[in-house]
Amino acid sequence: PVVLTLQRLTGQDALLLPIGAGDDGPHGQNEKIDVRNYIQGTKLQAVYLDEVAQLDITGADGESIRR
């Protein structure tokens, strides 16, 4: 549900970047995540945010929203 909320609030598409394995049992009683997946997922998120930060994004009024 959080993705739909983000899309509605920002008016933009959202991207899910999964960091778990197929057998992690997300939201189950025995949910788990491998430490290596967590570390690699954290690195992926950092690279993704760095790429997004370098975009020249303009608002609805045509002006850059970069500060």
Side-chain angles (χ1 to χ4, degrees):
V2 70
V3 174
L4 296 176
T5 301
L6 287 171
Q7 288 179 323
R8 191 180 77 247
L9 292 173
T10 63
Q12 302 295 317
D13 292 332
L15 175 67
L16 290 176
L17 299 172
I19 61 172
D23 65 346
D24 282 347
H27 309 297
Q29 185 176 9
N30 295 320
E31 180 177 18
K32 66 175 181 62
I33 185 169
D34 188 282
V35 171
R36 292 171 297 186
N37 287 1
Y38 182 79
I39 292 169
Q40 290 303 102
T42 302
K43 291 177 183 178
L44 173 65
Q45 183 70 18
V47 170
Y48 174 76
L49 290 175
D50 183 58
E51 290 291 325
V52 169
Q54 294 179 43
L55 295 174
D56 184 21
I57 301 172
T58 56
D61 60 1
E63 292 193 30
S64 177
I65 62 172
R66 181 175 290 205
R67 307 249 185 251

